[in-house]
Amino acid sequence: GTKKKDACPGLGLFYTVLSAFLFSVASLFLKKIEDVHSVEVSAIRCVFQMVFVLPGLIYYKTGFLGPKGKRIFLFFRGFLGSSAMILLYYAFQVMPLADTTVITLSSPVFTSLLAWIFLKEKYSIWDLLFTLLAVTGVILIARPPFLFGSDVAGIEGSYTDHLKGTIAAIMSTVSGASTFVIIRKVGKSVHYFLSIWYYAVIGFIGCVIALFVMDEWRLPYCGKDRVLLVLIGLLGLGGQIFLTKALQIEKAGPVAIMKTMDMVFAFILQILFLNHLPAWWTVGGALCVVAGSSGTAIRKWRQSLKKARQNEI
C-alpha cells in the first residue's frame, strides 16, 4: 500500500488564524444587535450549526452518537464548549469588543497547563516564554480593574456590568481551554462534524432551558437584527469547523497561543466599524501578543522541517 501523506506543515495554525477571523467578525455583528439576549443568540447559532452539520453526518456516515469509548469526551466537549460560547456572548454584549477578546486570550495559560497534565504534551521553556509574552500582551490590552483600578477608560456602561463581563469572559476562557484539550484527546478518531454536532445539540438544549427559565425568548423586531443573527450563525459555524480541524492536527498549546490573533482582528474591526481607537497600552499589548503568536508559528515550522528531514534519512 501507499503511505498516507503527512499534513502540510503549519496547516493547523493556518486553520486557527482563519477561525479567529471568522469569530471576530461574528463578534462585531453581535455588538450591532439590539435587544436580543446573549443566550438566545447562542441558541440561534446552535440551530444553524445543527442544520449545516446534519448533511455532513449523513454523507460521511458518522452516526449521531459517535464511538462508544468517545461519547463521554464528546458530551463534555459539547457542554463545556457551549458554556464557553454563552458566557463569551454575554461578555461581548456588556463590554468593549477588544476588551472581551483579549481577556479570553489568556486561554494559552490554561490550555498548556491542562495539555501538559492530561495529554502529557511537552512543555518546554520556549512554550513558557511565548505563553508569558502573549499573556503580558493580554494584560496590557485588557487593563483589568483589579490591576489598574476601577477608573479605567473605555468601559461600556456601569462598572458592575464591566465586572460581570470580566468574570464571564474568564469563565469562558477556562471552559474553552478545556474543550481544546478534549478535542485533542479525541483526535482524528472522531470526525470533526460529529464534534461540532455535540457542541450544537447540547448547547441548543441548554440555551432553550435557560431562556424559558429567564423568560427571555423573543424574536428580534428589526429586519437588520435578523440578518445579523443569520450571519453570526454562519460565521460561528465556519469558525468552529476550522478550529476543530486545527485541534485535530495540531497540539493544543500552539493552537491556543495562535488563537491570540483574535485580538488583532478585534482591534482592527473595532477601529474600522465601532470608531474606537486603541490606547498606547493597547498597541504595546498587541505587539506582545503578535510576537508570541509569530514565535509559536516559526517554532512549529522549524520543527516540521526537522521532522521531515529525519524521515527522509
Side-chain angles (χ1 to χ4, degrees):
T2 59
K3 290 184 178 180
K4 185 178 180 180
K5 292 183 178 180
D6 294 334
C8 177
L11 182 61
L13 300 180
F14 171 75
Y15 282 155
T16 307
V17 174
L18 184 56
S19 169
F21 175 74
L22 296 178
F23 281 137
S24 298
V25 176
S27 301
L28 174 66
F29 290 158
L30 180 63
K31 295 290 291 183
K32 295 289 186 179
I33 290 181
E34 300 176 357
D35 299 326
V36 181
H37 199 278
S38 59
V39 178
E40 184 174 349
V41 177
S42 302
I44 294 174
R45 174 181 162 181
C46 288
V47 170
F48 274 93
Q49 291 189 179
M50 285 190 289
V51 170
F52 282 91
V53 169
L54 183 59
L57 295 179
I58 298 174
Y59 177 79
Y60 290 107
K61 300 179 181 179
T62 62
F64 298 98
L65 298 178
K68 290 185 178 180
K70 305 295 182 180
R71 291 174 186 175
I72 185 64
F73 294 108
L74 289 170
F75 172 80
F76 281 108
R77 181 269 186 274
F79 175 76
L80 293 171
S82 58
S83 299
M85 173 184 61
I86 295 171
L87 291 167
L88 181 62
Y89 280 7
Y90 172 78
F92 275 125
Q93 287 189 331
V94 299
M95 295 178 65
L97 174 63
D99 286 4
T100 304
T101 301
V102 294
I103 289 176
T104 59
L105 293 183
S106 59
S107 63
V109 176
F110 301 103
T111 303
S112 299
L113 180 61
L114 292 174
W116 174 58
I117 295 174
F118 295 105
L119 302 183
K120 308 302 180 182
E121 291 188 1
K122 184 179 179 180
Y123 192 82
S124 67
I125 188 65
W126 286 106
D127 294 316
L128 176 62
L129 175 63
F130 293 139
T131 300
L132 291 177
L133 193 59
V135 171
T136 300
V138 169
I139 294 175
L140 291 176
I141 295 169
R143 286 171 291 161
F146 60 86
L147 290 179
F148 291 82
S150 60
D151 187 17
V152 180
I155 290 180
E156 292 182 357
S158 65
Y159 174 73
T160 302
D161 287 339
H162 183 81
L163 182 60
K164 290 180 179 178
T166 301
I167 295 174
I170 294 174
M171 293 176 62
S172 174
T173 300
V174 177
S175 297
S178 301
T179 62
F180 290 165
V181 176
I182 292 174
I183 293 175
R184 184 63 183 171
K185 174 67 175 180
V186 172
K188 296 182 181 181
S189 62
V190 175
H191 198 279
Y192 63 90
F193 272 176
L194 189 60
S195 177
I196 298 173
W197 172 255
Y198 266 81
Y199 176 100
V201 172
I202 295 176
F204 178 73
I205 295 173
C207 288
V208 170
I209 295 174
L211 287 171
F212 276 105
V213 171
M214 298 185 298
D215 194 23
E216 288 284 351
W217 182 271
R218 59 181 182 273
L219 290 175
Y221 299 105
C222 177
K224 182 191 72 173
D225 285 349
R226 296 181 182 182
V227 173
L228 291 177
L229 284 172
V230 172
L231 292 175
I232 290 173
L234 294 175
L235 292 169
L237 173 65
Q240 195 64 47
I241 289 175
F242 284 113
L243 181 58
T244 302
K245 286 181 67 66
L247 288 165
Q248 287 183 328
I249 62 178
E250 182 56 79
K251 288 186 178 181
V255 168
I257 298 175
M258 181 57 68
K259 203 174 181 300
T260 54
M261 289 299 296
D262 282 348
M263 179 275 306
V264 179
F265 294 129
F267 275 92
I268 292 174
L269 295 175
Q270 179 172 286
I271 294 172
L272 294 178
F273 298 101
L274 300 180
N275 196 28
H276 183 78
L277 295 176
W280 285 109
W281 287 101
T282 299
V283 176
L287 293 175
C288 289
V289 173
V290 170
S293 301
S294 301
T296 303
I298 294 173
R299 179 171 174 268
K300 174 60 181 177
W301 176 68
R302 293 183 61 183
Q303 286 180 338
S304 299
L305 291 180
K306 182 178 179 181
K307 183 177 180 180
R309 285 195 295 265
Q310 289 176 347
N311 291 335
E312 291 178 358
I313 296 175

